[in-house]
Amino acid sequence: MTSAEREAIAQRALEHSTADQTEVIVQVADAALMRFARGISNQNVASITHAISVRAIVDGRTGVASTNDLSDSSIAAVVERAIALAALAPRDPHQPQLPAGGTTHAPDGAYVAKTALADPFARAQICDAIVQEGERADDWCAGYVTTSAMGITIANSSGALASFDGTDAQANVKMIAADSSGFAEAYATDLTRIDGGRIGKQAVHKAAASARPQAVEPGAWTVILEPAACGELLAYLLSHFSAQAYDEGSSFFAGRLDERFFAETITLRDDYAHPLAPGMPFDYEAQPKSRVTLVDRGVVRAFVTDSYYARKLDVANTGHALPAPNASGPQALNLVVDPGTQSAEALIAGTERGLLVSRFWYIRTVDQKQAIVTGMTRDGTFLIEDGRITGGVRNLRFNQSIVTALARATPANDAHRTGGHGYSLVVPTVKIEGFRFTSTTEF
Amino acid sequence: MEFEELAGRALDTSIARGATYADVRFERGRTERIEVRNGIVATLADSESAGYGIRALVDGAWGFAASDDVSNAGIDAAAARAVTIARASAAVARRPFGAPPERAYVDRFITAIARDPAVVPLGERVALLLEAEKLARSTPKVAVARAWIDLWRTDKFFFSTIGSRIEQRIMQSGSGVQAMAVGNGDVQTRTYPGDVGLYQSGGWEIVESARLRENAARIGEEATALLTAPQCPSGTFDVILGSSQVSLQIHESCGHPAELDRVLGWEANFSGTSFLELDQLDRLVYGSPIVTIAIDNTMPFGMATCGYDDEGTQSGTSDIVRDGILRGYEMSNDTARSIGRESNGCVRAQSWEYVPMIRMCNLTLLPGTTPFEHLFDDVRDGIYMESNRSWSIDDRRLNFQFGCEIGWEIKNGKRGRLVKNPTYAGMTPAFWNACDAIADERSWFAWGTPNCGKGEPMQTGRTTQAAAPARFRGVTVGVGYDD
């Protein structure tokens, strides 16, 4: 479905509405994913989905209804359902005028037609290249290759109209040897930039290099976090930069804006336009996204807002709304960590005794206010002695405040895209002193 | 049955294009959510979604395609896509694996409900939440209070080329209330019921049975008291877990590792593998002899209760752990066949656009014989914990660390002072082997989990782990706060 078709649907919904204010989001997605494990494809799927969501505001009361039936009668019905819901809601004194939007431009490279048109055999070839690398090393492996294309149009009764089309391709693999494993991943908006053989080789190398892992004692360690691990850790800091968390007091820096929390080497931004992760240039209220410096050389400078919190806190709308209904507040979804000056190799070379971590697993918040999280290492954890990687170690559990960790952090001069579901991160390798491991496991 | 003609077209097209087996699942789902936050209705949402997913088996490999286009052209395109995807799977597979179900069923299933949520006026629903949320703001320290209701209704129509025609209406409901207190440089949260609310299969009666109004003020007071409560001590203690925390323990340390796809390595790159390896079946001493954990997908109130799973296997009961010994797995048709067993109906898809996969469904830890209050009797120095707050476990499901919202010291058989930030950690088999008492059936409860994540693309599953409070000896307590 083209943006013009989506805009026509959104316009029909707006015309039908009798609410004081109305917002319409029309989305279409065509997503496919091939998963492989132990020489078979255990999931190979594709789906085409459509959705229209209508937010109706009547006398400061809000209702939201959605459907995936885009017929004219269904569009009229979903608008009426949203208005009916709004009539039953209590009035919200902070309910703002919907934003009027503005001119936005999709970042270069956000949409690549070859990715949108990729067939299942293109994905299968990349999977096969990964598997072949494992077979050469006598490893078995599990992983996936995915491609997706999405289009979104947001229009509202304040005159905002914004459309965006984007593509994405990802691959990852866990390569499993006799007593060790290795991980590799790749992200791009252009599928042709995903090299299955390269990913397979990286994972094979990690599995081989971490073979015969030795047990090390938990405790405070100097760690070098590779980008996947760094990203997984920082993902648990994102919600702290929401205006809602700041306002309600659950953010680590609530009431302490402009204070130094991190090392001077740490600068964090929210940037939808980073070349490694080009994303949507507006938020789910059609407000143009600002590129926000959240932390400047260790000092927390900003949180992100939407129209609701901009009005409530009397600050600028940075354009970070999530789709209505949203009880989580605005969110920073495109985190970028500025690179440092030394190479990752130099950070390792400068470590007398430490651990190199490829990836974490199952991180969860232990303490919200202190941003303490726990989790496990996995798929390639290495001992560093006298500046050299000397072998693999068994996996460990950590309990660590992210805030404290970033106060002792040094980023390398590299930049890699990583991320999870619904957000992207561009991060370097990072060295952290005194990272606290609390137990070990059996492998 | 509804969709019969379209289903026939989907199956015929799949076979004509080369599939040896195909099935199609039409679904129409309705999701209603209301969330009140600090006196404001933050969410008042009503969502409908309808579509279908087609599975095709070609040369022993699966393909799946989903669409919301119910025109003949849309059906034809989706069937063709499923077959093409299956061919791509077969082209790079090192061996055939896929297997169709062996039995066909023609049947109908409807969740038993006492009161259809559809007849409960929206105003009544909103009023309940506004009242409960206001009550949760029972002290000035409560900065944020929330109350919510989720209602799900799913109509499924399953057809297969071996002759299955299964119609199901599944209804699930849930609600909860939460208070977050801020002060003393700290944030403390209490949730009721359990840790995510009360989620069960059924209608409005599930929401009413949660008794949100009656418990809201208490959780506000408890969250406030936790701000000034002493830190949970660190060390080795006997631990008694409330039933919702035992439910979470079962979910993470038994339900997930017993998924046979995970055991076979299919989840290795994402959700991980399992220590419950095939050579441990009928041998591994998973827990103490009082530990029996069974699958029961017919359980009243179970979130995963249905007549048939999403590949057409009839629901039933089977054991994972019986008297402490590992006896079985959660299985699909093809994975079960690979180990010489039959599927026990543990395949679910989040909705029509997702491929069915092995999911934890309803599990039950059989209750013991000890009245709950007597679990405390011979605990000299221990901690009682309730309501999960954090959960993490390694990717073979061995090393775990869980935290709870609230705890109380136990001294000489009596529950003592309140403690904040209680956490405990261990290795799964050692922990379950340290279980020496499970409370009796009077405190056994079917706790639902509405948001269990697994798979790529990630799917959300709705599970139940029924449990009673249980006692564990010699547990590591108080990790996470030793900075």
Side-chain angles (χ1 to χ4, degrees), chain A residues 76-98:
Chain A
V78 78
V79 171
E80 286 163 15
R81 204 147 42 97
I83 292 170
L85 288 171
L88 291 159
R91 193 169 178 279
D92 183 348
H94 297 293
Q95 181 60 54
Q97 191 75 21
L98 290 171

Side-chain angles (χ1 to χ4, degrees), chain B residues 23-137:
Chain B
D23 56 44
V24 58
R25 179 172 39 88
F26 290 84
E27 283 193 22
R28 195 166 43 227
R30 183 167 186 180
T31 299
E32 296 175 84
R33 180 173 176 86
I34 311 170
E35 179 173 341
V36 170
R37 190 182 177 92
N38 284 2
I40 302 299
V41 178
T43 299
L44 188 52
D46 183 347
S47 174
E48 290 181 344
S49 182
Y52 56 94
I54 301 170
R55 286 199 314 168
L57 187 63
V58 178
D59 296 334
W62 288 109
F64 174 83
S67 173
D68 50 15
D69 183 348
V70 291
S71 67
N72 285 342
I75 293 281
D76 292 348
R81 195 177 196 191
V83 171
T84 302
I85 289 171
R87 287 195 196 289
S89 298
V92 297
R94 274 36 175 185
R95 59 195 163 93
F97 192 88
E102 293 177 357
R103 296 194 189 106
Y105 296 91
V106 178
D107 204 354
R108 192 159 183 259
F109 172 88
I110 300 176
T111 300
I113 62 168
R115 190 181 183 196
D116 189 343
V119 304
V120 179
L122 194 54
E124 184 181 327
R125 305 180 202 176
V126 172
L128 163 64
L129 295 185
L130 284 168
E131 192 177 342
E133 182 274 327
K134 187 176 181 182
L135 288 164
R137 282 181 277 142

Side-chain angles (χ1 to χ4, degrees), chain B residues 13 83 176 185 189 229 233 241 306 316 319 336 394 409 420 434:
Chain B
T13 304
V83 171
T189 300
L241 301 179
C306 60
D319 287 343
D394 76 31
E409 289 183 333
K420 70 177 179 181

Side-chain angles (χ1 to χ4, degrees), chain B residues 180-431:
Chain B
M180 183 179 87
V182 178
N184 205 27
D186 199 2
V187 173
Q188 291 290 337
T189 300
R190 285 290 288 130
T191 310
Y192 173 87
D195 49 26
V196 292
L198 173 60
Y199 285 85
Q200 295 183 324
S201 69
W204 185 252
E205 69 277 7
I206 305 302
V207 176
E208 290 178 326
S209 71
R211 300 171 62 82
L212 300 184
R213 292 187 190 93
E214 292 81 351
N215 290 277
R218 173 176 60 83
I219 64 148
E221 290 158 7
E222 287 178 350
T224 303
L226 284 166
L227 291 174
T228 52
Q231 177 75 18
C232 178
S234 297
T236 301
F237 294 88
D238 294 338
V239 164
I240 296 173
L241 301 179
S243 62
S244 72
Q245 181 57 27
V246 176
S247 168
L248 186 278
Q249 186 80 41
I250 295 165
H251 181 102
E252 298 293 346
S253 67
C254 182
H256 278 312
E259 294 159 347
L260 186 52
D261 57 348
R262 186 188 296 262
V263 174
L264 295 174
W266 291 10
E267 284 286 332
N269 68 309
F270 178 53
S271 299
T273 58
S274 174
F275 74 100
L276 301 179
E277 294 172 356
L278 293 175
D279 62 2
Q280 300 296 310
L281 195 58
D282 298 325
R283 294 172 53 194
L284 178 73
V285 181
Y286 176 90
S288 65
I290 64 170
V291 174
T292 289
I293 301 173
I295 299 164
D296 183 355
N297 293 337
T298 66
M299 179 197 302
F301 306 117
M303 288 282 273
T305 295
C306 60
Y308 298 84
D309 76 359
D310 285 336
E311 57 179 9
T313 300
Q314 194 167 33
S315 294
T317 60
S318 56
D319 287 343
I320 296 177
V321 174
R322 171 66 59 177
D323 302 329
I325 307 297
L326 175 66
R327 296 295 185 189
Y329 297 105
E330 296 137 327
M331 298 180 288
S332 61
N333 278 293
D334 45 16
T335 58
R337 191 176 296 185
S338 76
I339 64 165
R341 293 192 172 196
E342 286 191 5
S343 172
N344 50 5
C346 289
V347 171
R348 300 286 188 280
Q350 177 180 327
S351 56
W352 59 266
E353 68 262 45
Y354 290 95
V355 69
M357 61 187 295
I358 293 176
R359 297 306 306 244
M360 185 189 324
C361 294
N362 298 329
L363 301 181
T364 175
L365 171 67
L366 297 194
T369 55
T370 309
F372 170 59
E373 56 275 18
H374 291 303
L375 289 180
F376 295 78
D377 286 352
D378 64 347
V379 175
R380 194 177 59 82
D381 194 11
I383 307 290
Y384 173 60
M385 303 186 196
E386 276 186 357
S387 296
N388 185 264
R389 189 171 91 179
S390 75
W391 63 103
S392 175
I393 189 165
D394 76 31
D395 79 348
R396 293 186 64 209
R397 302 270 155 183
L398 284 166
N399 177 314
F400 68 83
Q401 179 182 315
F402 299 138
C404 290
E405 289 182 351
I406 193 165
W408 289 267
E409 289 183 333
I410 306 168
K411 296 289 186 189
N412 299 317
K414 303 290 182 195
R415 197 196 297 203
R417 65 177 183 165
L418 188 75
V419 293
K420 70 177 179 181
N421 306 327
T423 61
Y424 66 101
M427 300 292 275
T428 296
F431 183 77

Side-chain angles (χ1 to χ4, degrees), chain A residues 100-172:
Chain A
T103 303
T104 58
H105 300 284
D108 289 344
Y111 182 88
V112 178
K114 278 182 287 191
T115 305
L117 299 172
D119 69 17
F121 293 96
R123 291 183 291 274
Q125 283 176 0
I126 297 171
C127 291
D128 193 47
I130 296 171
V131 172
Q132 283 186 35
E133 293 299 330
E135 288 170 337
R136 286 191 191 99
D138 210 17
D139 293 344
W140 69 272
C141 61
Y144 73 78
V145 174
T146 183
T147 57
S148 62
M150 63 79 75
I152 183 168
T153 292
I154 303 171
N156 68 33
S157 52
S158 296
L161 175 63
S163 287
F164 172 76
D165 289 88
T167 57
D168 201 24
Q170 302 174 15
N172 87 11

Side-chain angles (χ1 to χ4, degrees), chain A residues 33-244:
Chain A
L33 184 144
M34 182 172 187
R35 212 169 182 205
F36 56 92
R38 288 195 184 273
I40 62 167
S41 175
N42 51 314
Q43 279 177 234
N44 200 352
V45 305
S47 64
I48 298 174
T49 56
H50 302 82
I52 180 169
S53 177
V54 176
R55 170 160 58 150
I57 302 170
V58 181
D59 189 27
R61 306 161 198 271
T62 301
V64 179
S66 64
T67 179
N68 69 334
D69 180 351
L70 302 187
S71 66
D72 284 347
S73 59
S74 172
I75 291 170
V78 78
V79 171
E80 286 163 15
R81 204 147 42 97
I83 292 170
L85 288 171
L88 291 159
R91 193 169 178 279
D92 183 348
H94 297 293
Q95 181 60 54
Q97 191 75 21
L98 290 171
T103 303
T104 58
H105 300 284
D108 289 344
Y111 182 88
V112 178
K114 278 182 287 191
T115 305
L117 299 172
D119 69 17
F121 293 96
R123 291 183 291 274
Q125 283 176 0
I126 297 171
C127 291
D128 193 47
I130 296 171
V131 172
Q132 283 186 35
E133 293 299 330
E135 288 170 337
R136 286 191 191 99
D138 210 17
D139 293 344
W140 69 272
C141 61
Y144 73 78
V145 174
T146 183
T147 57
S148 62
M150 63 79 75
I152 183 168
T153 292
I154 303 171
N156 68 33
S157 52
S158 296
L161 175 63
S163 287
F164 172 76
D165 289 88
T167 57
D168 201 24
Q170 302 174 15
N172 87 11
V173 64
K174 172 173 180 155
M175 203 65 74
I176 297 153
D179 58 6
S180 62
S181 59
F183 171 74
E185 64 177 354
Y187 296 80
T189 55
D190 182 352
L191 179 67
T192 63
R193 298 186 65 180
I194 304 270
D195 182 343
R198 184 169 176 223
I199 296 165
K201 283 187 177 74
Q202 287 175 347
V204 163
H205 172 73
K206 273 195 183 293
S210 58
R212 297 175 296 284
Q214 59 176 296
V216 295
E217 288 299 311
W221 281 80
T222 298
V223 293
I224 310 282
L225 304 184
E226 290 195 335
C230 178
E232 287 165 318
L233 191 70
L234 293 186
Y236 281 79
L237 204 60
L238 291 177
S239 65
H240 287 262
F241 290 99
S242 166
Q244 180 169 294

